[in-house]
Amino acid sequence: MSVDVLIPEAAIRDRLRELGGEVARDYAGKPLTIVAVLTGSLIALADLIRAVDVPHRIGLVHASSYRGATTTASTLVINETLAPDVADRDVLLLDDILDTGQTLAALVDHIAQRGAKSVRTAVLLRKIGRQTVPIEPDYCGFTIPDAFVVGYGLDYDDDYRHLPYVGVLKT
Ligand code: 5GP
Ligand code: MG
């Protein structure tokens, strides 16, 4: 398998700096906790927060969806072993990619139920034409066509996460 570059390293870096600046302006003086969805958003988290030049906490939550081979219906499993206390915090949920929207929508509800003061969302990527759950990310890095992408945290069979760019996997 080979990977065609879709979003080069420098473009991701520049965009995350921009988004980090926006987040810093929007959350200045607020009790911000950025909660990253493992594992795919780890690298985006590390780059984003270095551009968020206001005090904030970070937290992690693990979510995985198991999809049947013949259906797009999926069961989302949220593992909260690492989840931070978000009571009275303004939470910004960060995920790698918004595809159907199921993951992000479920996590927003979940974090709201745990007593967060506010919950907004950020995604590195948003795939066009796949969304089934109505949710608008508050911060979005790039919109991409409907293709399976890897790199910059996103995996295929737990590989390719280390690529410094986002690329399309070719079989
Ligand atoms: P959703 O719940 O929005 O359908 O799916 C979000 C999750 O599906 C992402 O967090 C990611 O783990 C996975 N996903 C969706 N599209 C892609 C893709 O193109 N590449 C990879 N590697 N993962 C994807
Ligand atoms: Mg994911």
Side-chain angles (χ1 to χ4, degrees), residues 26-108:
D26 295 349
Y27 286 93
K30 294 183 173 173
L32 171 63
T33 300
I34 299 178
V35 176
V37 184
L38 291 175
T39 304
S41 61
L42 259 189
I43 298 176
L45 174 70
D47 284 346
L48 180 75
I49 62 173
R50 282 178 285 178
V52 179
D53 194 18
V54 296
H56 62 278
R57 298 179 184 167
I58 60 173
L60 303 168
V61 65
H62 189 272
S64 27
S65 44
Y66 297 96
R67 279 179 198 163
T70 55
T71 170
T72 54
S74 61
T75 314
L76 185 74
V77 178
I78 298 172
N79 179 337
E80 328 207 33
T81 315
L82 302 166
D85 181 6
V86 294
D88 297 321
R89 305 286 302 175
D90 288 305
V91 172
L92 180 61
L93 250 181
L94 172 67
D95 205 355
D96 50 3
I97 185 166
L98 186 137
D99 184 23
T100 66
Q102 287 179 42
T103 305
L104 217 50
L107 284 171
V108 166

Side-chain angles (χ1 to χ4, degrees), residues 98-101 126-137:
L98 186 137
D99 184 23
T100 66
R126 180 182 197 172
K127 221 184 261 189
I128 294 303
R130 293 262 312 159
Q131 209 170 326
T132 59
V133 178
I135 179 169
E136 279 301 308

